[in-house]
mmCIF file with all atom_site columns, all heavy atoms in Angstrom:
data_model
loop_
_atom_site.group_PDB
_atom_site.id
_atom_site.type_symbol
_atom_site.label_atom_id
_atom_site.label_alt_id
_atom_site.label_comp_id
_atom_site.label_asym_id
_atom_site.label_entity_id
_atom_site.label_seq_id
_atom_site.pdbx_PDB_ins_code
_atom_site.Cartn_x
_atom_site.Cartn_y
_atom_site.Cartn_z
_atom_site.occupancy
_atom_site.B_iso_or_equiv
_atom_site.pdbx_formal_charge
_atom_site.auth_seq_id
_atom_site.auth_comp_id
_atom_site.auth_asym_id
_atom_site.auth_atom_id
_atom_site.pdbx_PDB_model_num
ATOM 1  N N   . LEU C 1 22 ? -62.024 101.026 11.957 1.00 0.00 ? 36 LEU C N   1
ATOM 2  C CA  . LEU C 1 22 ? -61.825 99.662  12.439 1.00 0.00 ? 36 LEU C CA  1
ATOM 3  C C   . LEU C 1 22 ? -60.590 99.592  13.336 1.00 0.00 ? 36 LEU C C   1
ATOM 4  O O   . LEU C 1 22 ? -60.596 98.929  14.369 1.00 0.00 ? 36 LEU C O   1
ATOM 5  C CB  . LEU C 1 22 ? -61.648 98.752  11.217 1.00 0.00 ? 36 LEU C CB  1
ATOM 6  C CG  . LEU C 1 22 ? -61.999 97.278  11.313 1.00 0.00 ? 36 LEU C CG  1
ATOM 7  C CD1 . LEU C 1 22 ? -63.431 97.095  11.762 1.00 0.00 ? 36 LEU C CD1 1
ATOM 8  C CD2 . LEU C 1 22 ? -61.794 96.604  9.964  1.00 0.00 ? 36 LEU C CD2 1
ATOM 9  N N   . VAL C 1 23 ? -59.559 100.296 12.934 1.00 0.00 ? 37 VAL C N   1
ATOM 10 C CA  . VAL C 1 23 ? -58.263 100.200 13.613 1.00 0.00 ? 37 VAL C CA  1
ATOM 11 C C   . VAL C 1 23 ? -57.851 101.593 14.073 1.00 0.00 ? 37 VAL C C   1
ATOM 12 O O   . VAL C 1 23 ? -57.956 102.543 13.301 1.00 0.00 ? 37 VAL C O   1
ATOM 13 C CB  . VAL C 1 23 ? -57.201 99.654  12.637 1.00 0.00 ? 37 VAL C CB  1
ATOM 14 C CG1 . VAL C 1 23 ? -55.839 99.631  13.296 1.00 0.00 ? 37 VAL C CG1 1
ATOM 15 C CG2 . VAL C 1 23 ? -57.589 98.275  12.133 1.00 0.00 ? 37 VAL C CG2 1
ATOM 16 N N   . THR C 1 24 ? -57.397 101.720 15.326 1.00 0.00 ? 38 THR C N   1
ATOM 17 C CA  . THR C 1 24 ? -56.984 103.050 15.793 1.00 0.00 ? 38 THR C CA  1
ATOM 18 C C   . THR C 1 24 ? -55.516 103.336 15.461 1.00 0.00 ? 38 THR C C   1
ATOM 19 O O   . THR C 1 24 ? -55.222 104.260 14.718 1.00 0.00 ? 38 THR C O   1
ATOM 20 C CB  . THR C 1 24 ? -57.228 103.210 17.306 1.00 0.00 ? 38 THR C CB  1
ATOM 21 O OG1 . THR C 1 24 ? -56.743 102.037 17.962 1.00 0.00 ? 38 THR C OG1 1
ATOM 22 C CG2 . THR C 1 24 ? -58.705 103.348 17.604 1.00 0.00 ? 38 THR C CG2 1
ATOM 23 N N   . ASP C 1 25 ? -54.610 102.551 16.004 1.00 0.00 ? 39 ASP C N   1
ATOM 24 C CA  . ASP C 1 25 ? -53.180 102.763 15.758 1.00 0.00 ? 39 ASP C CA  1
ATOM 25 C C   . ASP C 1 25 ? -52.621 101.580 14.987 1.00 0.00 ? 39 ASP C C   1
ATOM 26 O O   . ASP C 1 25 ? -52.996 100.436 15.249 1.00 0.00 ? 39 ASP C O   1
ATOM 27 C CB  . ASP C 1 25 ? -52.414 102.873 17.089 1.00 0.00 ? 39 ASP C CB  1
ATOM 28 C CG  . ASP C 1 25 ? -52.848 104.088 17.891 1.00 0.00 ? 39 ASP C CG  1
ATOM 29 O OD1 . ASP C 1 25 ? -53.238 105.090 17.265 1.00 0.00 ? 39 ASP C OD1 1
ATOM 30 O OD2 . ASP C 1 25 ? -52.815 104.014 19.130 1.00 0.00 ? 39 ASP C OD2 1
ATOM 31 N N   . ALA C 1 26 ? -51.712 101.844 14.058 1.00 0.00 ? 40 ALA C N   1
ATOM 32 C CA  . ALA C 1 26 ? -51.133 100.719 13.317 1.00 0.00 ? 40 ALA C CA  1
ATOM 33 C C   . ALA C 1 26 ? -49.762 101.088 12.786 1.00 0.00 ? 40 ALA C C   1
ATOM 34 O O   . ALA C 1 26 ? -49.450 102.262 12.574 1.00 0.00 ? 40 ALA C O   1
ATOM 35 C CB  . ALA C 1 26 ? -52.042 100.305 12.174 1.00 0.00 ? 40 ALA C CB  1
ATOM 36 N N   . ASN C 1 27 ? -48.953 100.072 12.562 1.00 0.00 ? 41 ASN C N   1
ATOM 37 C CA  . ASN C 1 27 ? -47.635 100.249 11.972 1.00 0.00 ? 41 ASN C CA  1
ATOM 38 C C   . ASN C 1 27 ? -47.676 100.046 10.465 1.00 0.00 ? 41 ASN C C   1
ATOM 39 O O   . ASN C 1 27 ? -48.218 99.042  9.985  1.00 0.00 ? 41 ASN C O   1
ATOM 40 C CB  . ASN C 1 27 ? -46.656 99.212  12.546 1.00 0.00 ? 41 ASN C CB  1
ATOM 41 C CG  . ASN C 1 27 ? -46.142 99.610  13.913 1.00 0.00 ? 41 ASN C CG  1
ATOM 42 O OD1 . ASN C 1 27 ? -45.916 100.772 14.183 1.00 0.00 ? 41 ASN C OD1 1
ATOM 43 N ND2 . ASN C 1 27 ? -45.986 98.608  14.789 1.00 0.00 ? 41 ASN C ND2 1
ATOM 44 N N   . PHE C 1 28 ? -47.127 101.009 9.720  1.00 0.00 ? 42 PHE C N   1
ATOM 45 C CA  . PHE C 1 28 ? -46.865 100.795 8.309  1.00 0.00 ? 42 PHE C CA  1
ATOM 46 C C   . PHE C 1 28 ? -45.457 100.191 8.241  1.00 0.00 ? 42 PHE C C   1
ATOM 47 O O   . PHE C 1 28 ? -44.474 100.873 8.565  1.00 0.00 ? 42 PHE C O   1
ATOM 48 C CB  . PHE C 1 28 ? -46.926 102.111 7.540  1.00 0.00 ? 42 PHE C CB  1
ATOM 49 C CG  . PHE C 1 28 ? -48.317 102.658 7.382  1.00 0.00 ? 42 PHE C CG  1
ATOM 50 C CD1 . PHE C 1 28 ? -48.938 103.346 8.416  1.00 0.00 ? 42 PHE C CD1 1
ATOM 51 C CD2 . PHE C 1 28 ? -49.027 102.474 6.200  1.00 0.00 ? 42 PHE C CD2 1
ATOM 52 C CE1 . PHE C 1 28 ? -50.233 103.852 8.280  1.00 0.00 ? 42 PHE C CE1 1
ATOM 53 C CE2 . PHE C 1 28 ? -50.314 102.966 6.056  1.00 0.00 ? 42 PHE C CE2 1
ATOM 54 C CZ  . PHE C 1 28 ? -50.922 103.657 7.097  1.00 0.00 ? 42 PHE C CZ  1
ATOM 55 N N   . ASP C 1 29 ? -45.356 98.949  7.881  1.00 0.00 ? 43 ASP C N   1
ATOM 56 C CA  . ASP C 1 29 ? -44.059 98.281  7.823  1.00 0.00 ? 43 ASP C CA  1
ATOM 57 C C   . ASP C 1 29 ? -43.478 98.462  6.425  1.00 0.00 ? 43 ASP C C   1
ATOM 58 O O   . ASP C 1 29 ? -44.043 97.963  5.450  1.00 0.00 ? 43 ASP C O   1
ATOM 59 C CB  . ASP C 1 29 ? -44.213 96.788  8.150  1.00 0.00 ? 43 ASP C CB  1
ATOM 60 C CG  . ASP C 1 29 ? -44.689 96.568  9.580  1.00 0.00 ? 43 ASP C CG  1
ATOM 61 O OD1 . ASP C 1 29 ? -44.179 97.250  10.486 1.00 0.00 ? 43 ASP C OD1 1
ATOM 62 O OD2 . ASP C 1 29 ? -45.599 95.744  9.787  1.00 0.00 ? 43 ASP C OD2 1
ATOM 63 N N   . CYS C 1 30 ? -42.360 99.177  6.355  1.00 0.00 ? 44 CYS C N   1
ATOM 64 C CA  . CYS C 1 30 ? -41.785 99.517  5.065  1.00 0.00 ? 44 CYS C CA  1
ATOM 65 C C   . CYS C 1 30 ? -40.499 98.731  4.866  1.00 0.00 ? 44 CYS C C   1
ATOM 66 O O   . CYS C 1 30 ? -39.652 98.662  5.764  1.00 0.00 ? 44 CYS C O   1
ATOM 67 C CB  . CYS C 1 30 ? -41.471 101.009 5.002  1.00 0.00 ? 44 CYS C CB  1
ATOM 68 S SG  . CYS C 1 30 ? -42.886 102.024 5.453  1.00 0.00 ? 44 CYS C SG  1
ATOM 69 N N   . SER C 1 31 ? -40.364 98.152  3.683  1.00 0.00 ? 45 SER C N   1
ATOM 70 C CA  . SER C 1 31 ? -39.130 97.470  3.326  1.00 0.00 ? 45 SER C CA  1
ATOM 71 C C   . SER C 1 31 ? -38.876 97.738  1.850  1.00 0.00 ? 45 SER C C   1
ATOM 72 O O   . SER C 1 31 ? -39.664 98.443  1.202  1.00 0.00 ? 45 SER C O   1
ATOM 73 C CB  . SER C 1 31 ? -39.271 95.964  3.562  1.00 0.00 ? 45 SER C CB  1
ATOM 74 O OG  . SER C 1 31 ? -40.109 95.414  2.577  1.00 0.00 ? 45 SER C OG  1
ATOM 75 N N   . SER C 1 32 ? -37.823 97.175  1.338  1.00 0.00 ? 46 SER C N   1
ATOM 76 C CA  . SER C 1 32 ? -37.498 97.463  -0.063 1.00 0.00 ? 46 SER C CA  1
ATOM 77 C C   . SER C 1 32 ? -38.556 96.918  -1.020 1.00 0.00 ? 46 SER C C   1
ATOM 78 O O   . SER C 1 32 ? -38.642 97.345  -2.164 1.00 0.00 ? 46 SER C O   1
ATOM 79 C CB  . SER C 1 32 ? -36.127 96.873  -0.402 1.00 0.00 ? 46 SER C CB  1
ATOM 80 O OG  . SER C 1 32 ? -36.166 95.474  -0.150 1.00 0.00 ? 46 SER C OG  1
ATOM 81 N N   . THR C 1 33 ? -39.375 95.991  -0.554 1.00 0.00 ? 47 THR C N   1
ATOM 82 C CA  . THR C 1 33 ? -40.391 95.423  -1.460 1.00 0.00 ? 47 THR C CA  1
ATOM 83 C C   . THR C 1 33 ? -41.700 96.185  -1.433 1.00 0.00 ? 47 THR C C   1
ATOM 84 O O   . THR C 1 33 ? -42.553 95.981  -2.289 1.00 0.00 ? 47 THR C O   1
ATOM 85 C CB  . THR C 1 33 ? -40.667 93.948  -1.111 1.00 0.00 ? 47 THR C CB  1
ATOM 86 O OG1 . THR C 1 33 ? -41.158 93.897  0.239  1.00 0.00 ? 47 THR C OG1 1
ATOM 87 C CG2 . THR C 1 33 ? -39.408 93.112  -1.226 1.00 0.00 ? 47 THR C CG2 1
ATOM 88 N N   . GLY C 1 34 ? -41.879 97.047  -0.428 1.00 0.00 ? 48 GLY C N   1
ATOM 89 C CA  . GLY C 1 34 ? -43.115 97.813  -0.389 1.00 0.00 ? 48 GLY C CA  1
ATOM 90 C C   . GLY C 1 34 ? -43.574 98.115  1.024  1.00 0.00 ? 48 GLY C C   1
ATOM 91 O O   . GLY C 1 34 ? -42.789 98.055  1.973  1.00 0.00 ? 48 GLY C O   1
#
Side-chain angles (χ1 to χ4, degrees):
Chain C
L36 206 56
V37 176
T38 46
D39 296 330
N41 280 323
F42 288 80
D43 296 317
C44 308
S45 73
S46 58
T47 61

